[in-house]
Amino acid sequence: MAWRCSGATNAELITNLFNNGLIKDARVKDAMLKVDRAHYAPNSAYEDSPQYIGHAATISAPHMHASAAESLLAHLTPGSRVLDIGSGSGYLTAVLAHLVGPSGSVVGIDHIQPLVDLADANMRKSESGREMLASGQVRFVKGDGRLGWKEGAPYDAIHVGAAAAEHHEALVEQLKAPGRLFVPVEEGGQQYIFVVDKKGDGRVVRERLFAVSYVPLTDAPGA
């Protein structure tokens, strides 16, 4: 269905995704309309497909970003605190920031400094992005995402944009109760999306959703 959901403009791309049921929630649609994918994808920005951004990293297809945002949506309310691991181009970080609003905050973390710099530069291409960075609503940091980012914890929602080799308990520990983690994890030679809920009483419930193909979640080369 990807060919039906591409467009000549960002608005056309997002509208086509919505009309074809690949974006289901109006809040997610509105947030994605506010973030021009051309500021984050170096080529074919308005195609519903992943694009290479350098350093063995990609920006995911827009329908996957929509799926991630919708999976976390109940925890993306005004004032929520969010961690975006493997933030890459910074695109989803920006979408998440629009969902939590000015009273919320989003930290994007990547283990490759040039990608941290790229995400920051990409956000500065729009007035709203510059305002989010200046206010501290959004910040990008370098670090090993497998360990989360304790400085901003606890988080209402954590998104992981690369496939983990195992379930990293440090991420669950950094969730609020209640809170939700969206993470691809490799199991039996296949990657699956897991939604991990920390309930209000501290119980942790994991649900495997569907198979995917992501780049691996790693530390910096040579580290």
Side-chain angles (χ1 to χ4, degrees), residues 11-65:
E12 189 173 311
L13 166 67
I14 303 307
T15 299
N16 286 341
L17 288 167
F18 186 77
N19 290 342
N20 283 283
L22 294 175
I23 298 176
K24 299 177 177 63
D25 190 274
R27 283 184 62 212
V28 173
K29 175 189 175 185
D30 291 344
M32 292 178 72
L33 283 170
K34 293 174 181 176
V35 182
D36 191 339
R37 195 165 182 263
H39 292 168
Y40 299 85
N43 299 294
S44 304
Y46 304 133
E47 289 185 8
D48 185 28
S49 62
Q51 305 294 333
Y52 183 66
I53 59 172
H55 306 281
T58 61
I59 175 174
S60 295
H63 76 269
M64 285 302 302
H65 280 146

Side-chain angles (χ1 to χ4, degrees), residues 2 4 15 26 32 51 53 60 84 90 116 137 161 168 199-200 212:
R4 293 174 56 191
T15 299
M32 292 178 72
Q51 305 294 333
I53 59 172
S60 295
D84 183 20
V116 176
Q137 180 188 354
H168 294 290
K199 303 296 186 178
V212 290

